[in-house]
Amino acid sequence: FKKSLENYGINIVNKDSLRKLENFKNYNVFYDEIDEVKFKNKLNLIKQFNLDQFDRINPYSIFDMQLAMFHEAKRQLLNAISIASTYYNLKDNANIFISPTTYIFSGKANDGYFMAKEIIKFILALKHMIDKDKLIKEKLKIIFIEDANVERLRKIYPACDIYSNLSLPIYDNQSFHMLNSIFTMANVLSSKGGIISNIEKKNDIYTFGKTYEEIEKIRNENTYDAREFYYKNHLLKRTIDNLINEDYSNLPYNFKNIYDYLISFNDSFFIFNDHDSLLDIRFKISNDYLNKEKWIDKEIDNILWANEFNLDENLEKLK
């Protein structure tokens, strides 16, 4: 993308130069070139990491990425359960429209972090179940890129269509993966708070879930009951029950381990609570992706927003 922008007289590392991007909205030649570069970057990612070694990866699908260290606060579990819900929705009604999506996970877990390792096991088992389904695997795909490091991430970011920053807002939500993705022409799906609220300029980021203040209020008043929430939410309950009852040959993981853990700690990272909100916004993303002009305009708006980010200023606010 850097080379493409330079052809239009834009220096991506110069804040003043980058503001010129605003002038390229409604310029169809620019839209086509950006779209073509993104497609080539996705093909390069598939080739460089040999992602189609065992199965075909659709480069026309949405490449939805979550590249953070595996941690409950980063909520890879919320991501995976929402993917499972989409899978079961498609099993119930194959005519539901969604844009084909390839979910790309990459990250590490600390050696002694039991729950993080359980989440990785679950994601890999979910990948196995989806890959076995000849119909649904054309619409959903999970990819796990191992041994993420700075060098590998530089090769991954340019292929990102949308970066999923799902961190719970009351924890660290300053996602530099998100910023790096934005500057390679990606859209962003994010929980509320953190870096989003630290930059005053308007953005066009897809947001979901509760705000920092809402979560703090619920916690302080102790009004959240995960077990009750589970029984009252039909869609969530169906997904969880299906995951618990899946035959091991389909889902080679005992999901009851995770369910019991969530109930024991009253779903302290709001996985159940934000499930429906994440599904709803991803349905909107699935439709917006088909409108090239709208999709790229959002990317431009978010580059202009991220262009205002100043690390020193934001660290000063935290003092």
Side-chain angles (χ1 to χ4, degrees), residues 81 224-245 255-256 259-260 262-263 266-267 271-273 275-276:
I81 291 176
Y224 184 57
D225 185 333
R227 191 183 297 272
E228 181 182 6
F229 194 96
Y230 158 74
Y231 280 110
K232 287 184 177 181
N233 187 313
H234 169 73
L235 178 59
L236 174 68
K237 186 176 186 302
R238 182 207 60 178
T239 297
I240 300 299
D241 290 350
N242 283 346
L243 289 171
I244 291 173
N245 295 315
F255 188 79
K256 196 169 187 302
Y259 171 76
D260 289 344
L262 290 173
I263 295 300
N266 197 34
D267 184 20
I271 304 300
F272 290 172
N273 189 90
H275 168 267
D276 287 10

Side-chain angles (χ1 to χ4, degrees), residues 170-196:
I170 60 174
Y171 295 98
D172 176 27
N173 205 28
Q174 310 283 2
S175 176
F176 293 100
H177 293 299
M178 183 176 84
L179 286 173
N180 283 323
S181 298
I182 285 174
F183 283 110
T184 58
M185 296 297 289
N187 271 302
V188 168
L189 162 63
S190 181
S191 49
K192 298 168 184 173
I195 199 170
I196 295 177

Side-chain angles (χ1 to χ4, degrees), residues 282-298:
R282 278 187 162 156
F283 183 76
K284 175 175 172 53
I285 288 168
S286 184
N287 283 276
D288 287 355
Y289 180 71
L290 300 178
N291 186 329
K292 178 169 62 178
E293 291 78 13
K294 180 178 182 179
W295 188 259
I296 294 176
D297 280 350
K298 281 178 169 288

Side-chain angles (χ1 to χ4, degrees), residues 20-158:
K20 298 176 186 176
L21 264 177
E22 179 76 42
N23 301 327
F24 290 93
K25 288 184 176 181
N26 302 316
Y27 185 29
N28 289 331
V29 174
F30 179 76
Y31 289 147
D32 290 342
E33 184 170 341
I34 292 299
D35 195 47
E36 182 180 355
V37 172
K38 178 65 71 173
F39 181 73
K40 288 180 178 178
N41 288 342
K42 290 158 86 169
L43 291 177
N44 287 338
L45 180 68
I46 293 169
K47 182 178 180 180
Q48 287 179 342
F49 289 89
N50 202 18
L51 299 183
D52 58 353
Q53 180 180 5
F54 302 108
D55 202 357
R56 186 181 68 88
I57 307 298
N58 180 3
Y60 295 98
S61 66
I62 301 172
F63 277 27
D64 183 318
M65 300 187 180
Q66 188 178 15
L67 309 174
M69 169 77 76
F70 273 82
H71 191 285
E72 289 166 272
K74 299 297 183 184
R75 298 203 293 182
Q76 286 94 347
L77 180 58
L78 172 61
N79 197 355
I81 291 176
S82 76
I83 296 169
S85 288
T86 303
Y87 170 81
Y88 289 122
N89 285 341
L90 290 169
K91 292 287 282 186
D92 289 346
N93 183 359
N95 293 322
I96 293 175
F97 171 77
I98 64 163
S99 294
T101 304
T102 300
Y103 294 96
I104 299 176
F105 292 87
S106 187
K108 299 179 180 179
N110 291 330
D111 287 343
Y113 196 169
F114 169 79
M115 193 55 185
K117 292 189 174 184
E118 290 298 301
I119 293 169
I120 292 173
K121 291 176 186 176
F122 168 53
I123 291 171
L124 293 176
L126 184 60
K127 168 180 169 55
H128 174 82
M129 183 169 72
I130 293 172
D131 286 346
K132 279 188 64 178
D133 194 304
K134 293 182 179 180
L135 178 62
I136 293 178
K137 74 175 185 178
E138 298 300 320
K139 300 179 181 180
L140 296 179
K141 181 75 65 177
I142 292 176
I143 298 296
F144 196 102
I145 299 177
E146 298 181 358
D147 300 322
N149 55 38
V150 173
E151 183 180 350
R152 282 183 156 232
L153 288 171
R154 285 174 179 164
K155 297 175 181 177
I156 296 172
Y157 291 134

